[in-house]
C-alpha cells in the first residue's frame, strides 16, 4: 500500500498537467454546446410562451436521442487512444471510417424518428394542440441536422482520442456564433431585425417572416451542419492528423470493426440515456409538488449541471490518457493514471462544493426574486454540495473504465444505481418517507435518492475499476517474454 501511494504521488506530478490540458478544452466545448440550448430558450421565450413551450417539449425529445448517439460514438475514443498509444496509426483510419458509417445511420434513424413519430408521442403526453403543432415543426427542422451532429460527434471522438481536444472547443464556439444570429433572424423575422438595427434595412429583409419555434429548429440544424463541415475541413487540412491520412482511401462498411465499435459504444449510449431519463422522470414527479418546488428544483439542478461540466470533461480526458497508456502496454502505469484522475476529481468536487457555498445567494437571486423559491433552493444547494462528491467520483470512474473498453458492466451498474436506488429510493422517500420514522420528504427525498444512487454507482464502479485494473496487470505479467 505504501509503495502504491508513492507511485501514485509520482504519477500525480507527471500526469496532472496533461490531463487538465485535455480536459479544459472539452469543458469549454461542453459549455458552448449547452449555451446553444440556453440561447434557444431565451430567444423563443421572448417571442411567446407557446413557442417557448414548443421548444422545451421538443428539446425533451431530440436531446436524449443526440446524447445516445454521442455516447455510442464515444466508443471510438478509447479505440483510437489505445491504437495511438501503441503506435498503430495505420489501424486508426479504418476504425474512424466505420464510425462515420455508424454516425450516418444513427443520424438518419434519429431524423426519421423526429420527423415521423412525434405527433403520436405528443397526443400520448396530452400536449396542447398549438404547442404540439409548433413543436412538431421545430423537430422537423432539427431532424435535418441530426446526421450533421452525428458526423461531428464521430470526428470529435476521433480527435479526442488523438489527444487533440481544442478543435472541438473552437468549432463548438463557431456553432454557437452561427446559432445566435440565425436564431435572431429566423425566430423574430424582419420585425425583430428592424427593432434592433433600425428601418434602414432593405425591404426584403424587413419582410422576412417570424418563424418562431420552427425558425429556432432551422437555426439549430444549420449550426449542427456548420460544426460538422468545419470538423471535416479541419481534420482534412490540419497537420495534427497527417500521419493518419483520415480522408485517404475511404473504406466501405466493415462489419467486424463496426461490431467492435458498437460493442464498446452502445453501452455508453445506454448509460447516458439512463442518466438523462433519471433526471427527466424526477422532474415529472416533482411537478406534482407545486410551482415553488418545481422552480427551486430546476434552479438548483440547472446550477449544479453547469458545475458538473468540469468533472464530466475530466472523465472524457481520463478515457484518453488511460487508453494511451494501455495502448503502450503499460497496464501498471495505466492503473496509476486512472486513480490519479479519481483523486483530481475529488479535488474538483471539493472546489465545486465550495463554489456552491460561496455563490448560492447571488446566483439564486439571478434566477428568481421569490422568497419562498429562494429559501427552498438554498436547502437543496446543501444537498447539492454532497451530490458533487458522488457525482464527480462516479463519472470519472466510468471514464476510466471506458478506456479499458469495459462498458457493459458500467451500463448495468448505472442502470441499477440510477433507476432502482436513485429514482426508486428517491420516490419512496419523497412520497412515503420511512414508515413511523420519517415523514414524506417531498423534493428533498428525491435529492437524497439522487445522492444515494450516485454514491452506489461510485462504490460499485470503484470496485470494478480496482478489479479490472488488477486483472489487466496480471494478464500482462503472464504474457511470454519476447
Amino acid at each position: 500500500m505504501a509503495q502504491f501511494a508513492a507511485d501514485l504521488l509520482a504519477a500525480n506530478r507527471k500526469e496532472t498537467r496533461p490531463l487538465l490540458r485535455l480536459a479544459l478544452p472539452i469543458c469549454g466545448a461542453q459549455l458552448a454546446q449547452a449555451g446553444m440550448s440556453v440561447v434557444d430558450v431565451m430567444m423563443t421565450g421572448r417571442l411567446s410562451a407557446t413557442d417557448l413551450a414548443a421548444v422545451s417539449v421538443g428539446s425533451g425529445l431530440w436531446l436524449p436521442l443526440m446524447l445516445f448517439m454521442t455516447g455510442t460514438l464515444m466508443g471510438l475514443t478509447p479505440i483510437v487512444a489505445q491504437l495511438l498509444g501503441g503506435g498503430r496509426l495505420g489501424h486508426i483510419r479504418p476504425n474512424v471510417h466505420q464510425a462515420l458509417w455508424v454516425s450516418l445511420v444513427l443520424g438518419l434513424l434519429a431524423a426519421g424518428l423526429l420527423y415521423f413519430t412525434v405527433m403520436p408521442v405528443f397526443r400520448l403526453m396530452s400536449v396542447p394542440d398549438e404547442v404540439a403543432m409548433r413543436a412538431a415543426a421545430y423537430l422537423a427542422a432539427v431532424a435535418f441536422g441530426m446526421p450533421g451532429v452525428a458526423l461531428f460527434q464521430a470526428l470529435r471522438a476521433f480527435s479526442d482520442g488523438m489527444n487533440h481536444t481544442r478543435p472541438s472547443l473552437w468549432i463548438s464556439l463557431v456553432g454557437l456564433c452561427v446559432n445566435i444570429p440565425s436564431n435572431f433572424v429566423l425566430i423574430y423575422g424582419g420585425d425583430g431585425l428592424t427593432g434592433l438595427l433600425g428601418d434602414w434595412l432593405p425591404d426584403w429583409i424587413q419582410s422576412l417572416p417570424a418563424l418562431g419555434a420552427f425558425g429556432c429548429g432551422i437555426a439549430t440544424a444549420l449550426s449542427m451542419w456548420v460544426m460538422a463541415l468545419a470538423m471535416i475541413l479541419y481534420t482534412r487540412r490540419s497537420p495534427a492528423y497527417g500521419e493518419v491520412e483520415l480522408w485517404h482511401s475511404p473504406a466501405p462498411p466493415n462489419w467486424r470493426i463496426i461490431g467492435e465499435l458498437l460493442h464498446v459504444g452502445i453501452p455508453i449510449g445506454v448509460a447516458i440515456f439512463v442518466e438523462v431519463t433519471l433526471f427527466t422522470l424526477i422532474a415529472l414527479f416533482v411537478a406534482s409538488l407545486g410551482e415553488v418546488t418545481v422552480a427551486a428544483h430546476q434552479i438548483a439542478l440547472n446550477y449544479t449541471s453547469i458545475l458538473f461540466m468540469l468533472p464530466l470533461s475530466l472523465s472524457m480526458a481520463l478515457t484518453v490518457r488511460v487508453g494511451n497508456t494501455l495502448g503502450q502496454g503499460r497496464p501498471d502505469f495505466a492503473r496509476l493514471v486512472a486513480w490519479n484522475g479519481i483523486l483530481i476529481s475529488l479535488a474538483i468536487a471539493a472546489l465545486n462544493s465550495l463554489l456552491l457555498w460561496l455563490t448560492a445567494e447571488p446566483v439564486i437571486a439571478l434566477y428568481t426574486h421569490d422568497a419562498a423559491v429562494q429559501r427552498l433552493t438554498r436547502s437543496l444547494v446543501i444537498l447539492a454540495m454532497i451530490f458533487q462528491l458522488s457525482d464527480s467520483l462516479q463519472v470519472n470512474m466510468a471514464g476510466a473504465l471506458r478506456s479499458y473498453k469495459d462498458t457493459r458492466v458500467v451500463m448495468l451498474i448505472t442502470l441499477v444505481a440510477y433507476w432502482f436506488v436513485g429514482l426508486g429510493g428517491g420516490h419512496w422517500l419523497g412520497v412515503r418517507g420511512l414508515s413511523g420514522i420519517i415523514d414524506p420528504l417531498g423534493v428533498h427525498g428525491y435529492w437524497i435518492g439522487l445522492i444515494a444512487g450516485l454514491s452506489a454507482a461510485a462504490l460499485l464502479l470503484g470496485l470494478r475499476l480496482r478489479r479490472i485494473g488488477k486483472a489487466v496487470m496480471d494478464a500482462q505479467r503472464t504474457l511470454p517474454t519476447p
Side-chain angles (χ1 to χ4, degrees):
M1 180 62 72
Q3 183 59 47
F4 180 75
D7 292 342
L8 188 59
L9 182 61
N12 178 267
R13 296 193 189 101
K14 182 178 180 181
E15 282 294 316
T16 299
R17 183 170 293 181
L19 182 63
L20 292 177
R21 193 181 299 125
L22 285 174
L24 291 176
I26 295 175
C27 185
Q30 297 290 112
L31 288 171
Q33 292 177 37
M36 294 184 199
S37 296
V38 173
V39 168
D40 289 350
V41 170
M42 290 176 63
M43 288 194 170
T44 52
R46 291 184 62 187
L47 182 66
S48 76
T50 305
D51 285 287
L52 174 58
V55 170
S56 298
V57 170
S59 297
L61 293 181
W62 77 263
L63 278 173
L65 280 176
M66 190 198 73
L67 290 172
F68 173 76
M69 290 194 305
T70 300
T72 301
L73 295 168
M74 280 171 62
L76 180 64
T77 300
I79 293 172
V80 171
Q82 288 195 21
L83 291 173
L84 178 67
R88 294 175 289 167
L89 298 181
H91 294 274
I92 292 177
R93 183 175 70 244
N95 276 277
V96 180
H97 288 177
Q98 302 313 308
L100 292 173
W101 284 115
V102 171
S103 70
L104 277 175
V105 172
L106 288 175
L108 290 171
L109 286 174
L113 285 172
L114 293 177
Y115 194 86
F116 293 109
T117 66
V118 293
M119 288 308 291
V121 173
F122 291 154
R123 283 194 289 269
L124 186 64
M125 296 169 61
S126 301
V127 176
D129 290 343
E130 185 61 29
V131 173
M133 289 176 59
R134 296 191 192 188
Y138 165 72
L139 288 174
V142 171
F144 178 76
M146 295 304 277
V149 77
L151 286 170
F152 169 75
Q153 295 295 352
L155 292 172
R156 177 185 175 179
F158 155 67
S159 185
D160 288 353
M162 291 288 293
N163 289 324
H164 299 301
T165 57
R166 290 185 181 180
S168 61
L169 166 61
W170 298 119
I171 292 172
S172 295
L173 290 172
V174 168
L176 180 61
C177 290
V178 170
N179 183 254
I180 293 173
S182 299
N183 259 338
F184 200 93
V185 172
L186 293 167
I187 291 173
Y188 302 126
D191 289 341
L193 288 172
T194 302
L196 179 68
L197 301 175
D199 57 6
W200 57 269
L201 294 170
D203 291 341
W204 69 270
I205 292 181
Q206 295 188 44
S207 64
L208 289 174
L211 299 177
F214 179 55
C216 180
I218 296 173
T220 299
L222 179 62
S223 300
M224 290 173 173
W225 276 109
V226 166
M227 290 166 61
L229 294 173
M231 200 68 172
I232 290 170
L233 186 64
Y234 186 84
T235 53
R236 185 180 180 89
R237 296 194 174 183
S238 173
Y241 314 102
E243 294 183 58
V244 176
E245 297 182 320
L246 180 62
W247 298 103
H248 183 265
S249 303
N254 182 308
W255 301 113
R256 182 188 63 80
I257 298 177
I258 288 174
E260 181 188 1
L261 174 64
L262 295 178
H263 178 80
V264 177
I266 285 180
I268 301 174
V270 172
I272 292 174
F273 183 81
V274 166
E275 185 171 4
V276 171
T277 54
L278 167 69
F279 288 98
T280 301
L281 290 172
I282 287 177
L284 291 175
F285 287 133
V286 169
S288 65
L289 301 178
E291 294 180 356
V292 170
T293 301
V294 170
H297 173 75
Q298 289 299 328
I299 292 169
L301 195 59
N302 185 260
Y303 185 30
T304 55
S305 296
I306 295 171
L307 293 177
F308 179 65
M309 290 295 180
L310 188 52
L312 175 62
S313 303
L314 182 70
S315 78
M316 297 168 73
L318 194 57
T319 299
V320 177
R321 291 300 299 169
V322 178
N324 289 159
T325 312
L326 288 170
Q328 294 165 7
R330 302 165 64 198
D332 50 347
F333 190 65
R335 184 171 173 235
L336 293 171
V337 172
W339 286 104
N340 177 60
I342 304 305
L343 288 178
I344 295 172
S345 76
L346 281 174
I348 289 174
L351 176 62
N352 281 348
S353 294
L354 180 62
L355 283 172
L356 278 171
W357 178 259
L358 295 176
T359 64
E361 292 282 349
V363 169
I364 293 170
L366 290 175
Y367 281 95
T368 181
H369 297 294
D370 188 293
V373 175
Q374 289 183 347
R375 186 165 54 252
L376 183 54
T377 306
R378 283 195 295 269
S379 68
L380 294 178
V381 164
I382 295 172
L383 294 174
M385 292 171 63
I386 306 171
F387 182 103
Q388 295 299 312
L389 177 64
S390 54
D391 208 7
S392 186
L393 279 174
Q394 66 89 21
V395 75
N396 278 280
M397 287 171 176
L401 284 165
R402 282 198 295 269
S403 63
Y404 287 91
K405 302 180 184 178
D406 184 54
T407 56
R408 286 181 295 173
V409 174
V410 174
M411 177 186 70
L412 294 173
I413 288 173
T414 52
L415 179 63
V416 172
Y418 291 172
W419 278 5
F420 288 90
V421 179
L423 182 60
H427 187 61
W428 189 278
L429 289 173
V431 175
R432 298 192 179 187
L434 294 177
S435 180
I437 302 174
I438 300 175
D439 292 331
L441 297 175
V443 68
H444 296 95
Y446 287 102
W447 278 72
I448 292 170
L450 279 174
I451 293 170
L454 293 170
S455 299
L459 175 62
L460 294 172
L461 291 171
L463 292 173
R464 179 66 180 177
L465 180 59
R466 182 173 178 267
R467 180 178 178 181
I468 199 165
K470 188 175 183 301
V472 173
M473 285 173 57
D474 292 342
Q476 180 77 10
R477 293 192 187 103
T478 59
L479 291 175
T481 305

